[in-house]
Amino acid sequence: MKCLLCWCIALSIPLFTGVFAQKPDQSADLKLWYKQPASIWEEALPLGNGKTGAMVFGRVKRERYQLNDNTLWSGYPDPGNNPAGPDILPQIRQAVFAGDYNKASDLWKKMQGPYSARYLPLGDLTLDFPGNDSTTTQYYRDLDLSTAVATVRYTLGKVTYQRESFISHPDRVMVVRLTASKKAAINFNARLSSKLRFTAQPAGNELILSGKAPKFVANRPSEPQQVVYADSPQGEGMNFEIRLHVKTEGGTVKAVNDELVVSNANAVTLYLTEATSFNGFNQSPGLAGKNPSLEAKANLQRVLTKSYAQLKTAHIASHQTLFNRVNFTLDGDTELTELPTDERLIRQEAGKPDNQLQTLYYQFGRYLLIASSRPDSTGKAAIPANLQGIWNDHVQPPWGSNYTTNINTEMNYWLAENTNLSECHQPLLNFIGNLAINGAETAKVNYGINEGWCVHHNSDVWAKTSPPGGYEWDPRSQSRWSCWPMAGAWLSTPLWEHYRFTGNKTFLREKAYPLLKGAAQFMLSWLVEDGKGNLVTNPSTSPENTMKVAGKEYQVSMATTMDMAIIRELFNNCIEAATILETDTRFLTLLQETKARLYPYHIGQFGQLQEWFKDYDDPKDAHRHLSHLFGLHPGHQISPRLTPELAAAAKQSMIHRGDVSTGWSMAWKINWWARLEDGNHAYKILLDGLKYVGPKTAKKGADITAVSTTTGGGTYPNLFDAHPPFQIDGNFGGTAGMTEMLLQSHAGEISLLPALPDSWANGAIRGIKARGAFEVAMHWEKGRLTEATILANQGGLCRIRTKTPVKVLEGNAKPASGDNPNALTREPEAPPFERNETAKLVDVPLTQGYVMDLMTEKGKKYTLVPQ
Ligand code: FUC
């Protein structure tokens, strides 16, 4: 509680926010549950306290807890900067301006650096139940999102057994409680193991596993060295320790070889702690690491005096402080909660929409953020959720389970503010500070840029900022992804968003603004003149896509729409921040002057938003990345009411690309369609993404977890998003998008139910947040708002848009007029664009609606009812 409190004060987040009416209550349907144990990892259920993660399989004969620690990565701080850069860069620029894109792409490869480190699995806790050979009856397992407790229950013969597990944030321990309906019935062997180098031995009624992580893990199977360990435990590479303490009630516990054998117990409590030698992003974990044993032991000692009930109560209270802020209900067939979660997914895919499954999925996204991204009092170990959150079972996981910063890492945090989990944003906001330190060095060494910082498309726990690509050795590296120094600029925007949602000016001054400024400074030096009066990026890519010209594909060009949109967004944020803070007038003027010269948006021949600097877009291109729509979301530059032509062009681009793609791509599409106020299209994609991917419908021999980088999508039985394979971004992006369907606040007003789909005709949500630090509750029937309350955490003008006329019971609301003076919700400036005059624009239907201005007082709540 102490560290949460510290952060709430530092980030100005109100601790107790649940002021809205509690009904209707979603708690009855907040369980993922199953009638069988997990046969694959994607059926196991995730637990986490932000640092420790576990996947609970719920097996009867051999239970498996697959364990993770978010600091356990391969490697060590290795900037990987490339001093060849400053000499090569002008040659690349010349090649691009001369139209020789292939030459530019080849040259770029000489500027790349090494690949990132990999996120590693910690180990397994295995419980073998020797007698459990006979068939069980009444098997049940669940994960209760409202308590963050996983339960497994089954009957063998006449005895019913139960295991309850959770990972406590306040007590930094995983706890498993085994009980049985009959005395002296609990018998099992407990073992710790790891896929990394380890030794495990018992000590009294404890097991201790000491491990060593590799100093290098390859990115490609073709690399000559795959998994490399230091010669000695004192060498490079992360050290780690897992400790398990077994406390029995009745019966005995004794060590046999490397196991602890529990016999004839009435009840057993397992306490598991772990630690690594991670000592910050810039310290060698092997040569200058912390002693993991001290931390694992201290954490264990601290909890052993506490009872199971005490630990559980504190755990649930801590979880609910965050989780209970939002309640989301939709009318629908509530009896479906009597079906297991995997069967509901399959049933829904067969065309029977399940509103409660959708709200469960919504809350699962919030649950996952709480479980994988919690604030830390020291700030040091607060590491953002990676590509798989904190849950990974592979030594060589897909994409290294790293930070892929050309969409995935950013998407992980889209729900942080609007679903009222500001504190869970802190690990990312903190990490950006580390990136800025390393990124300033990359800017200097790779580009000769002495002011500001940059990040490329992959990072890791060492805050890598140099371009990946395995320079000089990897024939498969591609400049279409490695040539992208834009992540620093993009990653700065969440800092501004955090300010806009909380109104915390101290945070803006002390933390956000210096980082935003540094990212902008880099861009001021990175931009070049195109000879026609514009400032452009060169070299430039549209992440992972290729520019198709006359039957040929090119990777590197200039001024891609995403580059220019990110820079525009960053400059806008920086200008607004400097204005609010009344600082840096000269810098602000420079940004304004530079912004005026940025290469503008273009609407191309098909009425689409151009992806490339020229109209090379291929309407048949179904690439999963639609990076050129950055300005529509998460950016604030394009919206159907303020920039109708650009919004229509964005819509055309989405129609060209189609709906079905990879998990995260579909999640992004939910957000985009929501911003176009087309709730039914957003909903369609939500349902497309909830397609069951799992053993129950898989063809014989099919590998349901296979990597496909191009298309697929879907949802695993445990509701993890399938890229495929599992990536957590789709879960987070999905929840963020569902919130955008219900509440938006990016376009100078707070829009209630902007994209409500027909299928969500009756429902209620409370506790979600809008920019301006407004907290919103809404109730609607037959698609019409019947009541809303707005809590003004900061006060100030609240400009509200509704589809139907409403009045405010407290305070004087009047029709909106003039500029919105509230700096937190100010209307964004419409960006300039050029349009192919022959292009026809698609229609973007909008409901006219009503907009009113309500002057609010800090801390007061306002009620809106139909007029
Ligand atoms: C990018 C995406 C892939 C995948 C990977 C982690 O490379 O293009 O689809 O999400 O990141």
Side-chain angles (χ1 to χ4, degrees):
M1 194 62 197
K2 191 171 165 237
C3 65
L4 178 65
L5 186 66
C6 298
W7 271 97
C8 288
I9 293 164
L11 302 175
S12 281
I13 296 157
L15 254 183
F16 301 104
T17 47
V19 296
F20 296 110
Q22 298 284 317
K23 98 180 176 175
D25 190 358
Q26 196 188 357
S27 59
D29 189 24
L30 283 170
K31 286 187 178 135
L32 280 66
W33 74 273
Y34 308 84
K35 285 182 178 164
Q36 70 288 329
S39 61
I40 55 167
W41 191 87
E42 290 78 3
E43 289 182 302
L45 296 169
L47 295 174
N49 63 357
K51 181 171 178 0
T52 313
M55 296 294 286
V56 187
F57 282 66
R59 290 177 178 166
V60 174
K61 186 169 161 48
R62 171 168 290 177
E63 174 59 305
R64 179 176 182 214
Y65 291 86
Q66 187 266 311
L67 306 168
N68 283 105
D69 178 292
N70 74 336
T71 60
L72 185 59
W73 291 64
S74 68
Y76 46 89
D78 173 18
N81 294 325
N82 187 337
D87 286 339
I88 305 171
L89 184 60
Q91 300 171 46
I92 298 179
R93 289 190 163 148
Q94 209 177 14
V96 168
F97 282 138
D100 195 346
Y101 307 122
N102 284 337
K103 182 175 172 191
S105 175
D106 290 345
L107 281 166
W108 165 264
K109 289 200 185 168
K110 297 185 186 162
M111 293 183 65
Q112 293 173 167
Y115 285 105
S116 74
R118 327 263 95 189
Y119 179 59
L120 301 171
L122 177 77
D124 275 6
L125 165 64
T126 308
L127 308 180
D128 274 322
F129 296 86
N132 286 10
D133 284 329
S134 43
T135 333
T136 56
T137 53
Q138 298 177 20
Y139 180 91
Y140 171 88
R141 74 183 166 107
D142 77 18
L143 169 64
D144 186 341
L145 302 185
S146 70
T147 57
V149 175
T151 303
V152 182
R153 197 179 310 121
Y154 52 86
T155 304
L156 260 171
K158 290 199 176 121
V159 185
T160 299
Y161 295 88
Q162 179 166 297
R163 299 194 285 269
E164 269 187 0
S165 320
F166 60 85
I167 304 182
S168 165
H169 184 258
D171 285 303
R172 282 169 273 171
V173 62
M174 177 168 115
V175 189
V176 179
R177 170 89 173 157
L178 299 97
T179 51
S181 62
K182 193 178 141 207
K183 284 205 158 175
I186 301 175
N187 297 285
F188 66 90
N189 298 8
R191 192 171 63 249
L192 289 174
S193 59
S194 176
K195 290 182 175 174
L196 308 180
R197 279 204 179 147
F198 77 98
T199 55
Q201 64 218 1
N205 50 356
E206 285 185 9
L207 282 178
I208 303 166
L209 180 147
S210 308
K212 179 91 187 163
K215 61 179 181 181
F216 173 79
V217 176
N219 177 62
R220 303 243 186 246
S222 56
E223 286 177 61
Q225 297 209 298
Q226 290 293 301
V227 179
V228 185
Y229 286 91
D231 295 335
S232 80
Q234 289 73 41
E236 194 49 280
M238 193 94 75
N239 300 309
F240 60 95
E241 180 169 301
I242 314 175
R243 276 185 179 246
L244 177 76
H245 184 101
V246 178
K247 212 188 250 183
T248 51
E249 289 160 40
T252 59
V253 54
K254 64 171 193 278
V256 178
N257 301 324
D258 60 351
E259 298 187 335
L260 288 180
V261 179
V262 173
S263 308
N264 306 326
N266 302 329
V268 182
T269 309
L270 307 179
Y271 304 81
L272 184 142
T273 60
E274 95 294 347
T276 72
S277 61
F278 180 72
N279 197 13
F281 76 101
N282 51 7
Q283 300 291 325
S284 155
L287 311 177
K290 289 189 304 186
N291 181 346
S293 194
L294 295 179
E295 189 181 327
K297 205 167 164 182
N299 285 345
L300 195 57
Q301 290 303 320
R302 202 176 315 110
V303 294
L304 288 180
T305 51
K306 300 188 183 181
S307 71
Y308 176 72
Q310 271 176 318
L311 290 168
K312 188 175 168 188
T313 306
H315 158 71
I316 293 176
S318 158
H319 173 72
Q320 292 189 341
T321 304
L322 297 165
F323 186 80
N324 282 4
R325 290 176 186 167
V326 173
N327 190 78
F328 180 22
T329 52
L330 290 171
D331 271 10
D333 191 351
T334 45
E335 284 177 9
L336 293 177
T337 56
E338 284 160 29
L339 287 178
T341 306
D342 47 354
E343 285 174 27
R344 288 171 76 181
L345 268 176
I346 295 167
R347 186 186 165 280
Q348 177 164 265
E349 200 193 334
K352 297 173 187 130
D354 182 341
N355 282 353
Q356 277 74 36
L357 182 64
Q358 293 157 35
T359 55
L360 179 71
Y361 183 75
Y362 178 85
Q363 292 285 28
F364 187 54
R366 296 184 66 248
Y367 168 86
L368 289 175
L369 193 69
I370 298 169
S372 64
S373 185
R374 287 290 286 265
D376 166 80
S377 53
T378 64
K380 245 191 180 176
I383 293 164
N386 62 50
L387 200 58
Q388 298 182 188
I390 52 172
W391 299 280
N392 165 44
D393 190 25
H394 303 283
V395 178
Q396 293 180 284
W399 296 287
S401 190
N402 70 2
Y403 299 108
T404 307
T405 51
N406 64 12
I407 171 64
N408 318 82
T409 307
E410 290 87 350
M411 183 178 279
N412 279 3
Y413 285 88
W414 287 350
L415 75 167
E417 300 293 341
N418 64 5
T419 75
N420 211 338
L421 295 173
S422 257
E423 295 90 332
C424 298
H425 215 167
Q426 184 245 323
L428 178 72
L429 304 179
N430 189 67
F431 184 62
I432 297 166
N434 301 345
L435 290 172
I437 294 170
N438 284 351
E441 211 43 40
T442 297
K444 270 194 203 100
V445 177
N446 283 40
Y447 302 123
I449 291 178
N450 294 321
E451 276 189 329
W453 59 282
C454 66
V455 179
H456 293 78
H457 120 282
N458 276 183
S459 191
D460 53 26
V461 80
W462 314 116
K464 172 188 164 62
T465 52
S466 56
Y471 89 109
E472 282 183 338
W473 67 263
D474 186 1
R476 284 186 55 201
S477 79
Q478 303 288 346
S479 36
R480 69 184 145 85
W481 41 258
S482 72
C483 180
W484 196 71
M486 304 302 296
W490 186 351
L491 279 166
S492 304
T493 61
L495 296 158
W496 173 245
E497 292 289 10
H498 180 73
Y499 167 68
R500 298 239 291 174
F501 275 91
T502 61
N504 184 346
K505 218 164 162 179
T506 312
F507 170 82
L508 181 67
R509 185 182 305 108
E510 288 170 12
K511 179 124 191 171
Y513 182 68
L515 293 170
L516 281 161
K517 182 176 175 184
Q521 281 171 319
F522 173 82
M523 286 304 161
L524 287 173
S525 299
W526 179 247
L527 287 162
V528 288
E529 307 240 0
D530 69 349
K532 295 173 193 141
N534 300 303
L535 288 173
V536 297
T537 51
N538 171 9
S540 171
T541 54
S542 190
E544 314 206 17
N545 203 359
T546 52
M547 186 171 86
K548 287 112 190 150
V549 187
K552 295 213 171 100
E553 289 188 36
Y554 301 100
Q555 307 206 8
V556 172
S557 63
M558 64 179 186
T560 59
T561 299
M562 185 196 227
D563 275 10
M564 304 316 295
I566 289 178
I567 294 173
R568 191 175 292 279
E569 192 80 18
L570 171 67
F571 285 3
N572 281 342
N573 295 351
C574 228
I575 290 166
E576 284 195 55
T579 310
I580 291 165
L581 296 172
E582 297 176 7
T583 185
D584 269 349
T585 337
R586 277 175 56 192
F587 184 65
L588 195 150
T589 312
L590 177 63
L591 286 180
Q592 267 158 340
E593 286 166 3
T594 311
K595 196 174 86 166
R597 297 174 57 208
L598 292 176
Y599 193 67
Y601 281 104
H602 285 78
I603 297 176
Q605 58 187 310
F606 309 106
Q608 89 285 13
L609 190 71
Q610 243 173 251
E611 179 166 5
W612 310 99
F613 77 107
K614 281 195 183 157
D615 196 354
Y616 293 135
D617 296 25
D618 174 1
K620 295 209 178 70
D621 186 355
H623 200 274
R624 61 196 178 284
H625 286 263
L626 282 101
S627 309
H628 48 309
L629 304 191
F630 175 92
L632 177 63
H633 182 280
H636 302 185
Q637 299 158 44
I638 301 177
S639 65
R641 293 173 196 278
L642 300 176
T643 59
E645 292 100 329
L646 288 173
K651 178 173 174 178
Q652 182 60 74
S653 295
M654 284 199 282
I655 294 169
H656 284 159
R657 288 284 161 99
D659 293 346
V660 175
S661 188
T662 59
W664 62 257
S665 176
M666 284 154 80
W668 203 347
K669 287 171 186 172
I670 297 172
N671 287 274
W672 283 317
W673 284 109
R675 288 249 168 128
L676 291 178
E677 303 190 18
D678 189 339
N680 285 335
H681 206 131
Y683 176 80
K684 180 202 171 270
I685 297 177
L686 173 68
L687 256 55
D688 288 345
L690 283 170
K691 184 183 71 179
Y692 172 88
V693 182
K696 282 194 171 171
T697 58
K699 287 205 189 92
K700 222 173 162 226
D703 179 1
I704 65 150
T705 65
V707 178
S708 155
T709 54
T710 50
T711 193
T715 300
Y716 293 116
N718 62 3
L719 297 191
F720 270 170
D721 177 68
H723 177 285
F726 163 53
Q727 277 186 208
I728 207 159
D729 40 26
N731 287 101
F732 291 144
T735 296
M738 291 168 85
T739 315
E740 289 278 333
M741 290 159 77
L742 300 171
L743 178 69
Q744 294 178 16
S745 58
H746 59 284
E749 51 194 33
I750 288 151
S751 185
L752 307 185
L753 305 179
L756 189 69
D758 296 341
S759 299
W760 293 355
N762 302 307
I765 192 159
R766 73 168 156 77
I768 50 176
K769 282 189 78 182
R771 290 171 187 79
F774 295 110
E775 196 170 312
V776 177
M778 291 178 286
H779 202 291
W780 62 94
E781 280 166 26
K782 295 188 183 145
R784 290 169 74 92
L785 190 70
T786 50
E787 190 182 340
T789 50
I790 296 183
L791 173 67
N793 284 311
Q794 289 288 344
L797 186 100
C798 184
R799 179 164 290 179
I800 309 163
R801 173 178 289 278
T802 53
K803 301 239 158 156
T804 46
V806 292
K807 62 179 183 215
V808 182
L809 297 185
E810 313 83 3
N812 282 328
K814 51 182 193 316
S817 66
D819 288 341
N820 181 351
N822 186 336
L824 299 173
T825 55
R826 212 192 299 279
E827 186 173 304
E829 192 184 87
F833 66 92
E834 287 172 16
R835 176 179 170 178
N836 180 327
E837 288 306 330
T838 61
K840 263 189 72 187
L841 293 180
V842 289
D843 194 25
V844 182
L846 296 172
T847 305
Q848 185 56 35
Y850 304 82
V851 191
M852 63 186 181
D853 282 346
L854 170 70
M855 189 46 85
T856 66
E857 269 177 57
K858 188 171 174 159
K860 273 205 169 176
K861 193 171 83 170
Y862 299 85
T863 316
L864 280 61
V865 292
Q867 215 172 37

